[in-house]
Every structure is written in C-alpha cells, then in structure tokens.
Amino acid sequence: MSDNKPAAEQVDPAQTAKSAATSPAPATESQTVIQPKPSTFARIAGGNIGLSIGAALAAFIVGGLLIAATDPATQAASKYFFARPIDTLSAGWSAAYDAYMALLQGAIFNPNGRTFNQQLRPITETLTVATPLIFAGLAVALSFRAGLFNIGAQGQLILGALVSGWVALNAGLPLVAMVPLIIVGGIVGGALWGGIIGVLKAKTGAHEVILSIMMNYIAANLLVYLLKTPLLQRAGSSNPISEKLPDTAVFPQLLGPAFRLHLGFIVAILAVAFVWWLLNRSTVGFRLRAVGANPHAARTAGIKVASGYIIVMALSGALAGLAGAAQVAGSEKVLTTGIAGSLGFDAITVALLGRSKPVGTFFAALLFGAFRAGGVSMQVSTGTSIDIVLVLQALIVLFIAAPPLVRSIFHLPDPTGKTTKKKSAQKKAVEA
C-alpha cells in the first residue's frame, strides 16, 4: 500500500529520534538532584557521630551563656555595658571558662594535685561513676533498637542490686566464687523484672511505658520494705540500710585501694562488646532490629514479634541489673534505698546521646560520668551551682531531638548527599 500523505506531513524517523534526544524532559512538580557520593568526612560529620558531638557542643555553649548570665561579676559589669561592653564580655567569658576548666579538672586530670594519685583520681572517678551508666544506657539502647521505649531501667537496676546485695550478704563464699555469683545475681534480678514487662507486653498488648513506670514504683517500694525487715536491715539500726558487704563480696579495685575504680568497669566494656555483637552479628539481633524497624513486616516474614518483645526486655533488664550489681558490690558496698539514685532515668539520656548504638552509648556514659565527677569540683572551685550539670544534660537531649537545628548551627553536611528542589511545571517549561 502506498503512502498518500503529503510531504509536509511525512515524518522522518531519524529526525524524530534526534528531537527526542535533545528535547527537555517532561516537567514534573518536584525533582530530586542526586549529588556525587559524599566524602567520608561528610558522612561522619553529618551522621550520628557529628550530630551527637554537635548537640553536646551546642549544650555547652548555651550552658556557658547561662553561667555568665548568673555570675555576680558579669551582672555588675553589665550595668555599664554600653559604656564599656568589653568588661561585661570579659567577665562572662571568665565565668564560663573558669567553670568549665574546673569541671574538666575534676573529671579528667587535676594538675594542682600534690601527688600523682591526686592528679589521676578525677579520671578514675569519671570511669567509676560511668560504669553503672554504661550498663543502664545499654539496657535502654537495646530496647530502643527493638522498637520499645523502656523507661523501667530504674526498677530493673533496683532488682539487680537487691538480688546481688542479698547474695553478697548471705553466700559466704571466697572472692573468686563470690564475684561471679554477684554478677549472676544482678543479671537474674534485672532479667526477671524486665521479662515481666516483656511478657505483659507480648500477651496483653499493654504499653511498655505504663508497665515500666509501675514496675519502677513496685521495685522502689519493695526495696524500702525489705530494708526494714530482718532479711536485709542492719542489726541494731532503725534506718533502712543493710550490713556492710564483706571484703570477699566486693569487686576488686583495678588500680589499688587508693582509687574507687573497680572490676565492674571491665565487665561494662565486655557488655558493650556483647551488645554490639548481638545487634550486628547474631540472628537474634537481626530479628530484634527487624521487629524494631517494622513489627508488621517482621511478622509477615515469619519472625515471632511477641517472643522478640520478651527476649529484648529480659536482656535489657539483665543489663540494668548489672548496673545494680556494680553499684552494690563496686561503688557503695552497702544496700540503701538510694542505691539507684537517678541512674535509670539518666540512662535514657545516655542512650539518646549514643544514638542507641553500643559504642556511642559507651562514650555518652563517659561524658555523663565526667559531668557527675567534675560537677562537685566545679561548685567548690568556682561557686557555680552543680545544678548546671542537669541543665547541660537536658540541653543535650533537646538538641539531640532536633537534628536539623544542630546541622544548621554548625553547618553540618547532609550525609545522604541528596537535595530536593521543587519547581513548578510552568517555570521548568519556561527554562526549557
């Protein structure tokens, strides 16, 4: 059949292909421009490490401003700020600098110490205070990775301390056998308390936040009750306090009797390695992370979500129980109603700062240990209230919760290397 179309209407295939190749792409409402693969520095600076460091730095900056604003010398100089502004700025800088230097010397190294032990004691105190925070932070971080908000580390820590303390006071074994038994007691007590939450979550669907809050209250009041009974109360005392632990039931000091740093710190490092292996190298860890990422998809893939809840809460409780054992047999050497302090709640902040990663949680716990160890020195040396430490911790959480704000303050790069540009179809057509 012949083609009867006029010459003007006939289409040259070669010309059509050339026009298609050179013509602009159809206009769309949004366009994603893929940038070259970011450098290693960009991925580190813009990733979790960079955000955590940026959040800490931002908290220190705001804390320094608060220290300067409440300093009497700065307030006095501010009265003639417009006449001599340098005086106000200098006084404020000196107040913040002196406070942070005192905090640093009280937490890391004291060059003014008369002996080498006095100079070295600050860093050992930081590590000692950080030890239970490492355990408790790992407990919260592990549950976070499984999609559970475990705020029951306080109660799990108390139960671990309770069981460990009872074992230490009643077992009567040599040191070689007593230390492992105390550690096992902390694991069992915390795992039991956390496992109850996991079972209730899995079987009834109750929310873990409500469960853990209630279990915290039960654990705290159970400890008070038992410390007022002959089971644990010190003979001849009306106060809720146990007998002092025998020497065979105390964790050995790593650097001798001049320092408080004890064996619990080594166990904490091993716990970090275990949690890292569990999450990144084990089948159980993969299933727990799958449950945390999307429980519905995990259930569809054949993963038992309910069992995952029980396992992760028992493991979290075991880690928090180790914190209790470290407190009783390592730092305090006696069981009291304040054995847990606020460690269980501080662990939430530690896990957040560590981005729920084992290594990140370890360094976050060291930072918070430095806050606690150096806060007293800061208050004694400069008169700055130790409460500024709590303010710094709260500010860190605030900045951790706002990654875009931290990136904008420090101009951190986007680790994904992607930028999205929205243009209207009409504007793109005009540009074409």
Side-chain angles (χ1 to χ4, degrees):
M1 181 183 295
S2 59
D3 190 355
N4 297 325
K5 288 184 179 181
E9 296 182 4
Q10 293 184 2
V11 179
D12 185 1
Q15 185 66 28
T16 302
K18 182 178 180 181
S19 300
T22 57
S23 60
T28 56
E29 192 65 25
S30 63
Q31 180 183 18
T32 300
V33 180
I34 307 298
Q35 301 291 344
K37 185 178 179 180
S39 64
T40 302
F41 172 77
R43 283 184 278 115
I44 294 176
N48 291 336
I49 298 177
L51 288 175
S52 297
I53 295 175
L57 288 177
F60 275 108
I61 292 172
V62 176
L65 294 175
L66 291 175
I67 293 173
T70 56
D71 177 60
T74 306
Q75 293 176 352
S78 65
K79 296 178 180 179
Y80 52 90
F81 174 79
F82 293 102
R84 297 171 60 182
I86 299 299
D87 289 356
T88 304
L89 298 177
S90 177
W93 170 262
S94 296
Y97 177 81
D98 292 342
Y100 283 152
M101 284 302 298
L103 180 68
L104 183 65
Q105 292 178 5
I108 306 298
F109 183 78
N110 182 16
N112 299 321
R114 296 180 179 179
T115 64
F116 179 72
N117 285 351
Q118 292 178 350
Q119 294 173 345
L120 191 62
R121 182 170 287 111
I123 184 61
T124 63
E125 283 298 306
T126 293
L127 298 180
T128 303
V129 175
T131 297
L133 283 173
I134 295 171
F135 288 122
L138 290 173
V140 177
L142 182 60
S143 59
F144 280 171
R145 296 295 294 274
L148 297 179
F149 192 72
N150 176 24
I151 60 174
Q154 185 82 356
Q156 296 150 23
L157 189 155
I158 290 174
L159 257 293
L162 187 59
V163 176
S164 295
W166 183 85
V167 169
L169 291 169
N170 295 278
L173 298 174
L175 179 65
V176 176
M178 184 68 82
V179 170
L181 192 60
I182 291 173
I183 293 174
V184 171
I187 292 174
V188 171
L192 173 65
W193 214 244
I196 293 174
I197 299 174
V199 170
L200 293 175
K201 168 73 174 178
K203 301 300 183 182
T204 68
H207 202 285
E208 69 275 6
V209 171
I210 303 300
L211 293 173
S212 54
I213 290 175
M214 294 300 102
M215 296 296 281
N216 285 344
Y217 280 110
I218 295 173
N221 288 284
L222 177 63
L223 176 63
V224 173
Y225 169 74
L226 292 178
L227 284 175
K228 292 181 179 180
T229 65
L231 182 66
L232 289 176
Q233 190 174 27
R234 179 177 298 179
S237 175
S238 59
N239 297 322
I241 186 173
S242 72
E243 298 284 353
K244 187 177 179 181
L245 268 62
D247 293 338
T248 56
V250 174
F251 286 171
Q253 274 89 14
L254 296 179
L255 301 177
F259 304 99
R260 293 202 308 150
L261 184 62
H262 52 78
L263 181 66
F265 181 70
I266 302 299
V267 180
I269 295 177
L270 296 177
V272 172
F274 167 75
V275 174
W276 180 90
W277 172 85
L278 176 70
L279 290 174
N280 299 286
R281 292 293 184 268
S282 70
T283 303
V284 174
F286 172 78
R287 293 175 179 175
L288 294 179
R289 288 188 288 113
V291 171
N294 191 325
H296 302 293
R299 188 179 289 109
T300 303
I303 297 175
K304 296 180 180 180
V305 176
S307 299
Y309 289 152
I310 298 174
I311 292 172
V312 74
M313 287 305 303
L315 288 174
S316 296
L319 290 167
L322 282 172
Q327 279 291 92
V328 172
S331 302
E332 303 299 325
K333 303 178 180 61
V334 68
L335 192 60
T336 65
T337 56
I339 192 69
S342 61
L343 290 171
F345 301 107
D346 291 341
I348 301 174
T349 310
V350 169
L352 289 173
L353 181 60
R355 296 288 176 175
S356 299
K357 303 292 181 64
V359 177
T361 301
F362 174 79
F363 286 106
L366 293 184
L367 176 62
F368 277 61
F371 281 160
R372 290 192 174 198
V376 176
S377 174
M378 179 183 65
Q379 182 168 342
V380 172
S381 300
T382 66
T384 304
S385 175
I386 196 174
D387 293 332
I388 193 65
V389 170
L390 300 178
V391 174
L392 290 174
Q393 294 177 2
L395 287 171
I396 288 174
V397 176
L398 176 65
F399 287 113
I400 281 289
L405 177 60
V406 177
R407 283 198 179 98
S408 63
I409 291 175
F410 297 101
H411 302 286
L412 297 178
D414 186 350
T416 62
K418 296 182 178 180
T419 57
T420 302
K421 297 180 180 181
K422 292 186 176 181
K423 297 180 180 180
S424 64
Q426 181 179 4
K427 182 177 180 181
K428 291 167 66 177
V430 171
E431 291 179 351

